[in-house]
Amino acid sequence: MEMPRPDPAILARKARVVARLQEVLPDDAVIHDVAETKAYECDGLAAYRCPPMVAVLPRDTAEVSAVLRICHEEGVPVVPRGSGTSLAGGALPTADSVILGVARMADVLEVDYDDRLIRVQTGRTNLSVTGAVEADGFFYAPDPSSQLACAIAGNIAMNSGGAHCLKYGVTTNNLLGVKLVLMDGTVTELGGGHMDAAGLDLLSLICGSEGQLGVVTEATLRILPKPEGARPVLMGYDSSEVAGQVVSDIIKAGILPVAIEFMDRPCIEACEAFAKAGYPMCDALLIVEVEGSDAEIDAQLGLIKQIAAKHNPVELREAADAEEAGRIWLGRKSAFGAMGQINDYMCLDGTIPVSELPLVLRRIGEMSKEYGLGVANVFHAGDGNMHPLILFDANKPGDLELCEAFGADILKLCVEVGGCLTGEHGVGIEKRDLMNVQFAPEDMAAQMAVKDVFDPQWLLNPAKVFPLETSAPHRRVAAE
């Protein structure tokens, strides 16, 4: 994985940049000591590390605007950072960059139950958005596995989803408006407390733009009344391919569960040892949850269990009460942490048509044997958002490179069967050099032309998303 070389001229101006930043921020909000900047050297893709030149922690939109204006005038690259949970390297800095972290911007600014919205600063964590409204019977639907820690800023940057996105959609389906600061410090607002805005849909352009177009400091989010009830059913199978076919059959039957989650044997074993959820030891596990009134839940689960039974499950268990339902979900929500306790791994994020699940799972198993690296599969099966965890030894020379090659082949397979490189983690640096697998040169040229408009100097997260060779002419022109 290659990153641009740091600009010596920028590094030589570090003292001046720091001094200017300290003029507009409190002293403890400008982190420039080399030892302290190491806290920002990577995100959730910890295989790659590089301390930034400076890290700043503004408290509001005005301070973000002042920081960006200074960096714009000094020609210093800026890497926006939420909570640092990105699994695609989206917040990886370069040695000549300023990390702009939004962690101190965590306030609730407005709650409107009549219009079903909440306005928050974007450093607020995903789960705490629901925490602000759940006592009044509401919730925020997108629920990434990292929801306890991940920030709304990162959710917007990567268009994050979660287990319940099958029914409720991903971040873009629950985002109503943003306050956005452009690289030159200009503050603008897109969308608001209504379903749609006049003119071009720039809000959807910002959601998923990976910090390339501006820094989102405030977000207006859709909140929903809590459902009357919800209940999961757990299904175990002797084959991942069979489990994949069950998912396809449920979707084809016209049933819309709130979630369909998939785990294979390596993941089941790790989660069971970690969370003691009571999972059966089998080759594939599905968790299917539906919600509504008791009558609606019974009717939907009745149909789902009929479909499941046709494929000879080794276990078919409906949660008897809230405690059992909580244990079923605890195992799934603990998956990434459980796997991290037993092995180094790289988590992928390809998305495929649901009908292709059996084929793709079989091919991943075959490729695992070819590469000699294990794979644990855990993913949002209902919408085909796969998260293969490739197991490798970070201390073994060559293993990381082998893992990267294996991951690239899995993502190429996703595109080959009609899917795409990412569902919710983003491109970042992880998939940057695979963009030409999915997009023709003219497609990437159109995307980079949009960045030219929002960030003519290519100072916002400039080494991400586009292959460096492809973006070099834009970055070079911007630097001249």
Side-chain angles (χ1 to χ4, degrees):
M1 192 281 301
E2 182 186 358
M3 291 291 279
R5 293 180 180 178
D7 186 336
I10 294 175
L11 296 175
R13 297 199 303 275
K14 176 179 176 178
R16 187 174 80 190
V17 172
V18 168
R20 293 194 65 187
L21 292 171
Q22 289 173 329
E23 291 175 0
V24 298
L25 295 176
D27 286 345
D28 67 349
V30 182
I31 301 164
H32 57 91
D33 180 84
V34 174
E36 293 181 352
T37 59
K38 286 181 70 66
Y40 301 90
E41 68 181 358
C42 71
D43 53 23
L45 187 63
Y48 310 109
R49 300 169 184 266
C50 176
M53 182 174 71
V54 184
V56 296
L57 300 171
R59 297 165 300 185
D60 55 31
T61 299
E63 289 187 352
V64 170
S65 175
V67 167
L68 290 179
R69 185 178 63 254
I70 290 168
C71 292
H72 181 260
E73 291 170 357
E74 296 286 349
V76 177
V78 174
V79 178
R81 179 185 174 101
S83 297
T85 59
S86 168
L87 294 171
L92 178 70
T94 51
D96 58 354
S97 70
V98 169
I99 282 278
L100 193 160
V102 297
R104 293 185 178 178
M105 300 167 53
D107 291 344
V108 173
L109 304 173
E110 177 188 4
V111 177
D112 184 338
Y113 292 123
D114 290 336
D115 289 327
R116 298 189 303 174
L117 62 85
I118 183 171
R119 187 164 58 89
V120 299
Q121 289 184 305
T122 55
R124 192 169 185 87
T125 61
N126 176 286
L127 190 59
S128 70
V129 174
T130 288
V133 297
E134 62 182 347
D136 294 305
F138 284 78
F139 75 109
Y140 178 59
D143 60 340
S145 294
S146 58
Q147 67 179 150
L148 183 64
C150 64
I152 292 299
N155 290 178
I156 293 171
M158 301 304 186
N159 194 17
S160 301
H164 292 84
C165 66
L166 176 60
K167 179 172 182 178
Y168 293 113
V170 292
T171 298
T172 191
N173 305 113
N174 294 275
L175 179 66
L176 298 172
V178 298
K179 183 167 284 186
L180 179 75
V181 186
L182 302 180
M183 186 62 218
D184 64 0
T186 301
V187 179
T188 187
E189 295 192 30
L190 303 173
H194 42 79
M195 287 296 292
D196 199 4
L200 297 174
D201 186 7
L202 296 179
L203 180 62
S204 292
L205 180 65
I206 297 302
C207 188
S209 61
E210 304 199 22
Q212 295 251 311
L213 306 182
V215 177
V216 178
T217 58
E218 297 177 14
T220 303
L221 308 171
R222 177 180 289 110
I223 54 175
L224 299 171
K226 286 183 178 178
E228 188 173 337
R231 196 185 313 155
V233 59
L234 182 150
M235 313 169 186
Y237 290 94
D238 283 330
S239 162
S240 291
E241 287 184 64
V242 171
Q245 189 59 54
V246 173
V247 173
S248 183
D249 289 351
I250 290 172
I251 299 299
K252 284 191 294 187
I255 306 167
L256 184 60
V258 68
I260 304 179
E261 295 294 296
F262 177 102
M263 302 166 69
D264 67 3
R265 181 179 287 275
C267 195
I268 294 166
E269 292 176 349
C271 289
E272 185 60 19
F274 181 79
K276 306 293 191 297
Y279 287 166
M281 287 300 106
C282 53
D283 283 347
L285 186 69
L286 296 176
I287 300 171
V288 184
E289 183 171 270
V290 299
E291 62 183 23
S293 66
D294 285 342
E296 289 173 320
I297 291 173
D298 289 341
Q300 291 181 75
L301 286 185
L303 292 172
I304 289 169
K305 288 191 291 186
Q306 285 181 22
I307 293 170
K310 293 178 181 178
H311 294 272
N312 300 315
V314 298
E315 182 159 350
L316 183 56
R317 185 201 315 163
E318 182 178 336
D321 52 34
E323 182 181 351
E324 186 174 4
R327 284 201 306 274
I328 288 174
W329 277 113
L330 175 63
R332 169 60 183 90
K333 289 289 186 179
S334 302
F336 293 138
M339 292 302 303
Q341 285 197 332
I342 63 172
N343 222 101
D344 299 310
Y345 68 80
M346 182 174 288
C347 177
L348 302 181
D349 177 41
T351 299
I352 63 171
V354 174
S355 61
E356 299 291 345
L357 273 171
L359 167 65
V360 171
L361 288 169
R362 184 177 73 249
R363 283 292 298 126
I364 289 176
E366 293 168 352
M367 286 190 283
S368 174
K369 294 177 182 177
E370 293 167 7
Y371 276 94
L373 295 176
V375 179
N377 286 291
V378 53
F379 55 87
H380 313 313
D383 63 345
N385 189 185
M386 305 191 71
H387 296 313
L389 310 181
I390 303 177
L391 312 181
F392 72 104
D393 184 348
N395 295 314
K396 182 179 178 182
D399 237 30
L400 174 59
E401 291 75 15
L402 190 64
C403 177
E404 290 175 325
F406 184 8
D409 279 349
I410 291 176
L411 293 173
K412 290 175 183 177
L413 173 63
C414 291
V415 175
E416 181 183 321
V417 300
C420 59
L421 295 173
T422 179
E424 59 174 338
H425 291 178
V427 176
I429 60 165
E430 179 208 16
K431 309 175 189 76
R432 182 190 65 190
D433 297 325
L434 293 172
M435 283 285 278
N436 56 14
V437 173
Q438 183 171 346
F439 296 105
E442 55 268 29
D443 296 325
M444 281 192 283
Q447 294 177 51
M448 291 185 291
V450 173
K451 180 165 175 59
D452 287 339
V453 172
F454 280 80
D455 179 23
Q457 293 189 29
W458 276 65
L459 293 175
L460 277 170
N461 231 3
K464 314 293 171 55
V465 180
F466 307 106
L468 293 183
E469 183 177 313
T470 302
S471 65
H474 293 259
R475 291 183 286 113
R476 190 179 303 117
V477 168
E480 291 174 350

